[in-house]
Amino acid sequence: HVQLVESGGGSVQVGGSLRLSCVASGDTVGRYCMGWFRQIPDKEREGVAAIDGGGNTAYAPSVKGRFTISKESAKNILYLQMDSLKPEDTATYYCAAKPGGYCYGPMSYWGQGTQVTVS
């Protein structure tokens, strides 16, 4: 069973930057599909970015060019670098993972979330 713990959220001004981290434990997740999702109250959770077991990345159109997903496999850490932040990026951000390497289908493991507020 994989545990995921996010950190790095906080409050930032419009145009600022934050870097979220997600530390995984319980298994080596270097070849997992891993991703970042976000949710605001009363809205469905949406995918933000994903990275598969081969290192291929994908982004939601709303964040492409501003956010960068990466992982440090040796340390079991997933990152989300968020630049040029906008008020509409305000949400709770969740880290997620699934074994198998390919980012198809639902995620198997979820973190507890970290709040990002842009104003």
Side-chain angles (χ1 to χ4, degrees), residues 58-116:
Y59 297 90
S62 59
V63 307
K64 198 169 186 177
R66 300 188 297 121
F67 290 10
T68 303
I69 189 171
S70 63
K71 61 182 176 181
E72 196 169 353
S73 298
K75 296 184 177 180
N76 254 16
I77 302 176
L78 179 73
Y79 299 104
L80 184 67
Q81 178 66 42
M82 305 187 294
D83 299 317
S84 303
L85 283 162
K86 304 175 181 180
E88 51 263 44
D89 295 318
T90 295
T92 301
Y93 283 73
Y94 297 89
C95 171
K98 68 182 293 290
Y102 296 101
C103 292
Y104 298 118
M107 292 300 203
S108 303
Y109 306 106
W110 293 86
Q112 82 290 348
T114 185
Q115 178 67 35
V116 171

Side-chain angles (χ1 to χ4, degrees), residues 23 56 99 106:
V23 178
N56 300 298

Side-chain angles (χ1 to χ4, degrees), residues 41-59:
D42 300 324
K43 297 288 186 181
E44 289 190 6
R45 189 174 297 182
E46 66 168 347
V48 174
I51 183 166
D52 68 14
N56 300 298
T57 58
Y59 297 90

Side-chain angles (χ1 to χ4, degrees), residues 1-13:
H1 187 77
V2 173
Q3 294 83 43
L4 303 171
V5 179
E6 304 97 334
S7 63
S11 296
V12 64
Q13 292 185 334

